[in-house]
Amino acid sequence: KTPFREYSNRVRWLTEKNYIEHINIINPENLPRTICGTNGGYQLDHKISIKHGFENKIEEAKIATVENLEMIPWQVNRYKAYK
């Protein structure tokens, strides 16, 4: 595994943990969390990206914080990934 992949895996694990523990804060409207291409679907987004966190040596837990997570339409999340 590359250092980025290890970092990303840790962030994603912490993100899921925080999402489950704080779903009422992160997703109070109970928006449907889906994969790309699902009509009306949303994805969990990191406002400060995992890539940015890795490149700037930001602690994994900070990237996975409730304050850095938001639910956005999957189309918006894909657009951000290609930007």
Side-chain angles (χ1 to χ4, degrees):
K1 288 183 184 176
T2 66
F4 174 73
R5 179 59 58 200
E6 290 178 7
Y7 179 89
S8 176
N9 287 345
R10 285 191 299 270
V11 170
R12 290 180 194 284
W13 184 84
L14 290 167
T15 295
E16 286 304 316
K17 185 174 180 247
N18 283 335
Y19 181 78
I20 290 165
E21 289 177 12
H22 304 286
I23 192 168
N24 292 335
I25 296 169
I26 299 166
N27 190 3
E29 297 174 42
N30 198 28
L31 300 168
R33 193 170 168 200
T34 66
I35 60 171
C36 291
T38 303
N39 258 356
Y42 289 78
Q43 293 182 336
L44 184 58
D45 176 61
H46 296 90
K47 296 173 191 176
I48 299 171
S49 72
I50 295 172
K51 181 179 177 186
H52 179 84
F54 176 76
E55 290 173 345
N56 292 280
K57 297 179 175 37
I58 300 171
E59 183 185 347
E60 293 96 333
K62 290 195 181 211
I63 299 301
T65 60
V66 171
E67 295 78 18
N68 193 45
L69 301 175
E70 65 181 340
M71 297 298 295
I72 61 174
W74 69 264
Q75 299 94 326
V76 175
N77 201 29
R78 289 296 93 204
Y79 174 76
K80 283 180 64 177
Y82 295 112
K83 217 166 78 172

